[in-house]
Amino acid sequence: MASPVQHLPPGWNAEWDATHQRYLFIETTTGHTQWEPPIADPEAPPPSGGGSPPPAPHGGKRRQYAAGQTQAYYGGDSLAAAAPGYTNAGAAQPQPAQLFTPGLVAESQFQQQQTVASGQQQYYGEQPEYINAPQQPTYPHQSPAQMGALADQFGQMNMGHKGPRLFTTNLLTSPPEPRELFTPPPEIILPPGSCLSPSPLANADASYQRSTLNAIPTTNALLNKSKIPLGLVLTPYRSVKEGDEQVPLVTDTVIARCRRCRTYINPYVQFIDGGNRYVKVHLYTRHLIDFVSKMALLYVFAVERGPTTVRLGPKYMVRPPQPALYVFLIDVSHNAVQTGMVATATRTILENLDRIPDENGRTKVALIAFDTSLYFFSMPPGTTESSMLVVSDIDDVFLPKPTDLLINLAEGRQALESLLGRLSDMFQDNHTVGSALGPALQAGFQLMTPIGGKIIALTASLPSIGAGSLKNREDPKLLGTAKESGLLQAASPFYKTFAIECSRAQVCVDMFLFSSSYQDVASLAYLPHYTAGQTYFYPAFNASRTEDAIKFAHEFGEVLAQPIMLEAVMRVRASKNLRMSSFHGNFFVRSTDLLAMPAVPQDLSYAIEIQIEDTITAPFVVFQTAILHTTCYGERRIRVVTTALPTTSNLTEIFASADQIALATLLANKAVERSITHKLEDSRDALFNKMVEILSAYKASMTAAGAGASAQLAISENLKMLPVMLLGILKNVGIRQSSQIPPDLRAYAQALLTSMPSQLLIPYIYPTFYSLHTMPPECGTVGEQGIIMPPPLPLTSEKLERHGLFLIEDGQTIFLWVGRDAVPQLILDVFNLPNYETTLPVLDNPFSQRVNAVIQKTREMRRGPYYPHLYVVKEDGEPALRLWALSCLIQDRADVLPSYQQFISQLKDKVNGSGY
C-alpha cells in the first residue's frame, strides 16, 4: 500500500507506530497528533491510517554521486545556481564533479553541493565552502510541503541520520583553518537510557581521556575498512587550573566493583533488586554490590562524574603509605659550575622548599653532588650545619654513613638551607672534568630503596666514568642515513636494566640535561621512560643569559611543586571483545596490561592501541582507566576515568566520529616507536601511508569515485586538519628528514612527542602564528575569559609582512618576528629603542603592554611545567635564528620537505594511483 506521506496536506507529517501497527499523524506547527489521516481537499480520496509499515532499517553504506547524476536521483529538471566561492575573476575553469551523499538531503547537503563553484583557490584566511556544509537550503521549483514530504520519504528509507553527521570536504580547495584545532571532538551520541544521569559530566572530559573514534565499530573488519586506528589517549592526572572542574574525592574508603572483570562502578550501570545488584548494560551481566558503599558513591561517583578519585582503606595497600622522598643528584664538575647550572639549581631548590609537597611533615630529602667522585652531605637533626663525606671508589658504590644522609624536610630545614646557599661556592674552583652519573644514580638508589620516591638528576656533561659511562658516538656522516636510528637507541644496557630495578623498587627518575656538547640524550632518556619520569634538555645552557636561567628555574620549580602519585599501577579495562594491544608512554609494562609507575607526575600523557577481537553486540562500550596510587600526603587512592562510546555498524558514522586530535597524538607515538625499532625513513613512510589509506578508504566508501581516479581529495570535515598535523609530525625535529639535526635534539624531541598531552603536543607539531601589529584592539586586554588572544593564522610565510610584528610559538619556544621594514614607531613602542633588542621590555604604552600580555598568556594558558624561551628574530638578522623560526611555518616548503599544497598533491596522486 502507498505511504500516506504522499497524500498529506502541507504542515503534516506521519510516523509509523510499531506498537499499534499504524501511522500516527503529527501537525508540525502545533505538535497536535491524531490517528485519523488529515484531509485538505474533501474531494480527494482519504488515505488509510493503517497501511504498510515503512521499510525495515538496513545498515548499507551511503554512496556519493557526481553532481550531474543527482537530477535523475531526485527527478529534478535543473541544478541550482552556483554561488561564489574559491573563484577566479579570469577565464572560466572546468568544474570537477562535486560529491553527493544520499540520505543527508534533510541536512542541506544536496543544495550546498550544487551551489559550490570550483575555481582558483584564493588566499588563506577566507571562509572555505564545504561540499556539504550545514547551511539552510533553498530548493528551486519545490514548495516547502513537497520538500518536507520528500525528506519524510527518505527518512522512511532509513536515510535519516541519527548518529554523528558526516560532511565531506575537498582538501584541494579547503585550506587548513587553525581555529578548527580548538573545536571539541565529535559529539558522543549514546543510546537512550545508557547512563544513570543526564549530566554532561558523566563521560570523562576529553582532556583526561579521549578515543580516536567516538563511535566504535562492531567488528574488526569494519574498523579495518575505515583504516582509522582505534586507540585511547590518556592524561589521567592533568593539572587543574583556576576555573577548571575539580575531580571529586569520595572518602567512603570502599569502592564497588565487578567481582568478575574488576570494573569499578560507573555511570553506565543500572541498579536492580532494590539497589543490591547492578547490571552492566554493556556486558549484560549482574553483580552483587555493597549497599552501603553504593549509597555513598551513587551521587558523586556513579551519576555525576567521569573522572573520580576514591580514598581507599588498608586492604588496597601492600604496605603502609610511605613518605614522599626526593634525592637530588647535582653535577658539580667544571662545566656545570662555570655555566651557572649549579648556582641556578641550588637557588631554585632553596626558593621552592615551601612548595615541595609536605603538608603532613613526612617528606624526606637528600642531596648528593658528583663529578668523578661522590659527595654525600650529613645533616644531623637539630643542627644548622652539614658535613661532607667523599667517596672516590665509584666501582663499588656504598653509603658512607647509615644515618643523617636522608633527612626530614621540616626537621632539617635549616641545615638544608645552609647547604644549598653555599654549595655553588664550595665547588667554585673545581676543575675536574668528567661525570660519574651512573655511580651517583646507584648511590641515590641505595639511599631510597627501602622507601621509594623520586631521583632528580641534574648533569651538564656526558657520563664518562663508572657504571653507565658513555662515549661520544655523534658521527655527522650517519646523520640523514639509514643508520641514524641507531643513534636514537641506548648505547649502554645499564640505563634500561637500572630503570627496571628502579621501577621494582618504586623509584622514579627525572633527568635535567645541560651539556653544550654531545650528551647522548637518547641513552639517558631511557631512565625517565621506564620509571614514569620526564626528561628536560637545555642545550648550550648558560645562566648568564637571563632567558636560559628563567626557563630552567621556572620548569625546575614547577617540577618540585607538583604533587606526585607514588607506587602507582595503571590498568585500562574495556567492554567484552575489546583488548588493549599496545602501550606508548613513560612506564614499565609489568604484565600483559598492568603498567607500573613508581611516581606519576601531572600532565604526562599515554597512548594505548585497542584491538577488536570479536563482534560487539552491545549498543555501547565502556573504557575505564584506573590508577591505584599513594599521594605524596600519605593516602592510598584510586583515580577512575570512565568513557562510554556507542557502537555502530555504519561506516559513515565511523568517519563522522573520528577525533583528529587523538589520531594525531596516537600516530605521533607510533611514529617515534617505529623510528627507534626500525628506521626514521620507515617511520616517515608509515605516517604518509596511513594518511593515504584513510583517504583511499574514504574515497572508496563515501564518494562516487570509488576505486577510480578523482579530481578531488575528499575527507570528512572532522578530519580536515589531520593531513596538516601529520605534515607537522613529518617536519618535527624528532622525525624530520635532515642531515643537520644533532642526535641529542632529535632524541629530546621524540621524548616530548611521546610524553606531552594533546593540549601541548598539537602546538608542538602545528605551532601557533599571530600577527601582532594588526591584531584587533581588544586583543591583549582582559576579557571575560582572561587575556583576549589574536586570531591564529595559517602557518605560511605568505602571511608575513615586511613591516610587521609577528609571534610564532610551539609550546617550547616563542619567536617574536620583526619585519625588516618594521615601522619605526612600532619598534619604539615595543623595544623603546630605534632598533630592536634581543629582550622584550615592558613599557608604559598600550601596545607594549598588549604584546607582553599576549606572550604571558601564551606561557600560562597550557598545562605542564614548560616555560617557552623567547627569541627576538629580525627578518634580516642572524640567519640560523631566522631559519629556525621559519621552520615553524610548516605549510611552506623547506629544504627537501614539501609545502602543504605539495603534500596534498602527493596524497592525491597516491590515492588515485593506489588502486585501492
Side-chain angles (χ1 to χ4, degrees), residues 341-537:
M341 184 275 283
V342 176
T344 307
T346 52
R347 184 175 64 251
T348 303
I349 298 173
L350 186 61
E351 293 174 350
N352 288 276
L353 286 178
D354 290 330
R355 300 179 68 197
I356 295 177
D358 188 29
E359 289 187 1
N360 55 5
R362 302 197 323 153
T363 300
K364 296 185 177 183
V365 297
L367 194 150
I368 302 174
F370 66 94
D371 44 29
T372 56
S373 302
L374 305 181
Y375 306 93
F376 296 84
F377 297 93
S378 174
M379 293 170 277
T383 63
T384 58
E385 297 298 328
S386 60
S387 57
M388 184 171 69
L389 307 172
V390 182
V391 175
S392 299
D393 184 5
I394 59 174
D395 293 327
D396 185 15
V397 176
F398 64 92
L399 300 180
K401 192 176 180 182
T403 60
D404 301 334
L405 299 178
L406 189 63
I407 64 167
N408 180 281
L409 178 58
E411 296 175 358
R413 177 72 176 264
Q414 290 184 340
L416 182 60
E417 289 179 347
S418 175
L419 173 62
L420 292 170
R422 57 192 176 88
L423 184 66
S424 179
D425 295 335
M426 292 169 60
F427 295 94
Q428 184 64 42
D429 299 323
N430 187 6
H431 296 286
T432 303
V433 177
S435 170
L437 175 62
L441 289 166
Q442 291 176 328
F445 178 77
Q446 292 184 24
L447 195 59
M448 65 197 315
T449 296
I451 301 175
K454 174 170 282 197
I455 293 177
I456 300 178
L458 302 96
T459 177
S461 55
L462 183 73
S464 58
I465 187 172
S469 61
L470 300 169
K471 295 181 180 179
N472 189 339
R473 53 177 177 153
E474 185 177 29
D475 186 354
K477 296 179 181 178
L478 299 180
L479 303 183
T481 69
K483 296 183 179 180
E484 184 180 5
S485 59
L487 301 177
L488 303 176
Q489 301 170 0
S492 169
F494 167 81
Y495 292 98
K496 184 172 182 179
T497 57
F498 181 71
I500 295 174
E501 290 180 21
C502 288
S503 180
R504 289 172 180 163
Q506 304 297 342
V507 175
C508 169
V509 182
D510 281 349
M511 299 292 294
F512 287 80
L513 310 175
F514 301 87
S515 180
S516 57
S517 58
Y518 180 72
Q519 198 169 4
D520 204 345
V521 174
S523 296
L524 299 180
Y526 265 63
L527 275 172
H529 178 75
Y530 287 105
T531 63
Q534 288 179 283
T535 301
Y536 301 87
F537 184 41

Side-chain angles (χ1 to χ4, degrees), residues 238-246 860-864:
R238 72 156 174 80
S239 54
V240 179
K241 292 195 170 187
E242 184 179 353
D244 288 348
E245 189 76 26
Q246 295 289 328
E860 294 177 352
M861 65 182 178
R862 300 192 185 100
R863 298 179 175 89

